[in-house]
Amino acid sequence: MPKGKGPQGKRITLKVAKNSVRVLFNGRRRLELSKMGIAVFPKCLLELADVEEIDLSRNMLRKIPNIIEKFQNLMWLDLHSNQIDELPAAIGTLRNLTYLNLCNNKLTTKGLPEELTLLRNLRTLNLGLNCLESIPTTLGSLKELIELGLFDNSLTIIPKSVKKLPKIERMNVKRNPLPEFAKEDEPIDTIKRIESLYLVEKKDLCNSCLQTCQGERDELHKLEDMKPGPSDKPSFPSLTTPNSTAMDNQEEWRIK
């Protein structure tokens, strides 16, 4: 990036990068550089190109350079909550990648290279909270895909090739202008509403309010004892937020 143009961000040295490598319980090495104020992909990371996982989420990255192809052992890549508007064609060389999180960026349809479909081992792809007006029909070639996040975009159609992915289990398309989802807002979850009544201490309530809250609490306990019936509504545990490690930052993320 030319000097004086755009955010400069924090400079990451090789020493900082090496100290940011963590060994996970499964033996993989994860390079954790989340929330570091990084605006330009650090070239020093090439010295750690043998890591299996990289977390560069919640930074100020606008571009991912072609040197990403040097990370051939990469299986897990988290880039959520940056300023990325396009992916390099070199992303398609990461054939071992099983997890790719691009949620909450500025990706457009043109910013998705055709080479993305070369990630044949990909199981989780999160493209939620971007600027997508359509998604390539060629994404239907990702036969190993289990989870696909497309929420909070401008999609008006989901290609049949994507809908019919053989192993897909969870596809989140909420908050898109899709005709088949043009329904009234869902009713308020009464259980969540009842739970919110207990955010005050008893000493701050008058007798009348205290009796009301105790009655609501008894009703809640009755609901908890009831055996839940089968539900037809899909669940998206790992596609409704940027990722599972961002739970401590959900409220801040949702506001943004």
Side-chain angles (χ1 to χ4, degrees):
M1 182 177 295
K3 186 176 181 180
K5 293 186 178 181
Q8 298 302 305
K10 181 178 178 180
R11 182 172 179 271
I12 300 298
T13 64
L14 181 57
K15 181 179 179 180
V16 170
K18 286 182 176 180
N19 289 336
S20 300
V21 176
R22 304 286 183 269
V23 179
L24 307 180
F25 70 93
N26 57 10
R28 294 185 190 174
R29 292 159 300 159
R30 178 181 295 181
L31 178 56
E32 297 183 350
L33 293 174
S34 179
K35 295 188 291 186
M36 297 287 285
I38 302 171
V40 179
F41 190 90
K43 291 184 178 180
C44 67
L45 299 190
L46 290 175
E47 298 293 329
L48 302 170
D50 58 345
V51 296
E52 291 84 14
E53 302 190 1
I54 295 180
D55 183 357
L56 278 166
S57 65
R58 289 173 280 183
N59 282 294
M60 300 183 295
L61 291 168
R62 298 181 64 87
K63 303 289 182 183
I64 300 299
N66 280 317
I67 58 174
I68 193 69
E69 66 184 2
K70 301 296 183 180
F71 296 80
Q72 286 299 304
N73 291 337
L74 211 56
M75 302 177 69
W76 191 95
L77 179 58
D78 193 345
L79 297 169
H80 84 75
S81 302
N82 279 283
Q83 304 292 320
I84 301 169
D85 55 12
E86 65 176 341
L87 295 175
I91 195 76
T93 66
L94 305 180
R95 304 300 174 85
N96 290 316
L97 209 61
T98 62
Y99 176 96
L100 178 58
N101 191 349
L102 294 160
C103 175
N104 196 21
N105 277 284
K106 296 184 177 181
L107 286 168
T108 63
T109 303
K110 292 182 179 180
L112 297 179
E114 183 178 350
E115 288 79 5
L116 191 64
T117 61
L118 298 177
L119 303 178
R120 300 301 173 86
N121 289 311
L122 204 59
R123 297 180 181 178
T124 297
L125 175 60
N126 196 342
L127 294 170
L129 274 168
N130 276 285
C131 307
L132 301 175
E133 295 183 351
S134 63
I135 53 175
T137 58
T138 50
L139 285 186
S141 64
L142 300 178
K143 303 300 183 182
E144 296 298 316
L145 209 58
I146 296 175
E147 298 181 316
L148 177 60
L150 298 171
F151 56 93
D152 291 289
N153 279 287
S154 300
L155 303 175
T156 57
I157 188 172
I158 304 297
K160 290 183 180 180
S161 61
V162 175
K163 288 182 178 179
K164 295 183 178 181
L165 282 166
K167 295 186 179 181
I168 198 73
E169 295 179 2
R170 291 173 288 277
M171 186 186 299
N172 189 347
V173 297
K174 289 183 177 180
R175 294 177 295 279
N176 278 285
L178 294 164
E180 60 265 43
F181 290 95
K183 299 179 182 179
E184 296 182 1
D185 292 336
E186 295 183 1
I188 297 174
D189 188 332
T190 55
I191 295 180
K192 291 182 179 179
R193 177 180 57 81
I194 292 174
E195 289 178 339
S196 67
L197 295 174
Y198 301 110
L199 298 178
V200 294
E201 296 184 14
K202 289 184 179 180
K203 64 181 179 63
D204 295 324
L205 296 174
C206 63
N207 289 334
S208 176
C209 291
L210 182 58
Q211 291 178 1
T212 300
C213 289
Q214 288 175 337
E216 294 282 2
R217 183 176 58 185
D218 293 339
E219 290 296 322
L220 178 60
H221 289 163
K222 290 180 181 179
L223 290 173
E224 290 175 342
D225 293 336
M226 293 175 61
K227 183 177 180 181
S231 173
D232 294 330
K233 294 183 178 181
S235 175
F236 311 105
S238 62
L239 294 177
T240 55
T241 56
N243 68 356
S244 58
T245 61
M247 295 297 289
D248 61 333
N249 194 40
Q250 278 195 45
E251 291 304 321
E252 177 185 353
W253 172 77
R254 289 180 185 278
I255 292 175
K256 292 181 180 179

